[in-house]
Amino acid sequence: MDEISQYEIHYTPSAIQDMLDKADYIAYALKSPETALTWYRELRQDIQQDLATFPYKHSVYHVKPWRDQGVRLMVTGKDMVLYTIDAKEKTVAIHMVCTKGKNLSDLTLEQ
C-alpha cells in the first residue's frame, strides 16, 4: 500500500498577521484572552490536520483572481483559509486567513 504524503505547511507574513490581528481583536476588543488563545490554537490545529495530509480536499476558490492563481479555500469554523499547493516541493502555503463573509475581490495574494 502506498504511503500517504505529508505536506509541510508554510505561512506567509500576511497570513500570520491576519491571525494575530484576529486574536488581538478577540483578546482586547472582546476582552477574552482565553478565547483568543483557544481560537488561535484550534485554527492552527485545523490547518495542520486538514492540509498536511489532504491539501487537495478543498476546491479552487471560484472567484477571480484567486481561481486563476490556483488558490484553494478551506472553511473552518467562522474562518476562511486561502492557500496554494506546491506538489513538487510537497508544501502548502497559507496566504490569508479571514472571517467568513469578507469581500476578497480587492485583495492580492502574497507569495
Side-chain angles (χ1 to χ4, degrees):
M1 186 165 139
D2 292 334
E3 186 175 317
I4 295 176
S5 295
Q6 289 291 310
Y7 288 75
E8 190 171 323
I9 307 294
H10 297 274
Y11 293 83
T12 65
S14 65
I16 292 168
Q17 191 62 53
D18 291 342
M19 294 185 296
L20 292 174
D21 288 347
K22 183 163 181 179
D24 283 348
Y25 175 78
I26 295 168
Y28 300 110
L30 301 180
K31 298 180 178 14
S32 187
E34 298 83 17
T35 302
L37 184 56
T38 299
W39 169 83
Y40 182 81
R41 286 179 177 162
E42 287 177 357
L43 176 67
R44 294 288 299 252
Q45 181 180 356
D46 289 349
I47 290 170
Q48 186 66 35
Q49 286 178 343
D50 226 27
L51 301 182
T53 307
F54 301 108
Y56 291 98
K57 171 182 175 180
H58 304 283
S59 59
V60 173
Y61 188 43
H62 65 280
V63 176
K64 282 188 171 191
W66 310 103
R67 177 186 65 218
D68 299 338
Q69 298 175 48
V71 175
R72 293 175 178 270
L73 174 67
M74 172 185 162
V75 177
T76 177
K78 295 181 180 179
D79 299 296
M80 300 185 305
V81 178
L82 294 165
Y83 68 96
T84 54
I85 304 166
D86 183 332
K88 182 178 176 186
E89 296 295 323
K90 296 229 179 278
T91 59
V92 171
I94 307 300
H95 298 282
M96 185 181 303
V97 177
C98 60
T99 302
K100 281 195 266 184
K102 182 173 183 167
N103 182 359
L104 303 175
S105 60
D106 294 334
L107 302 175
T108 58
L109 183 69
E110 180 178 324
Q111 300 296 326

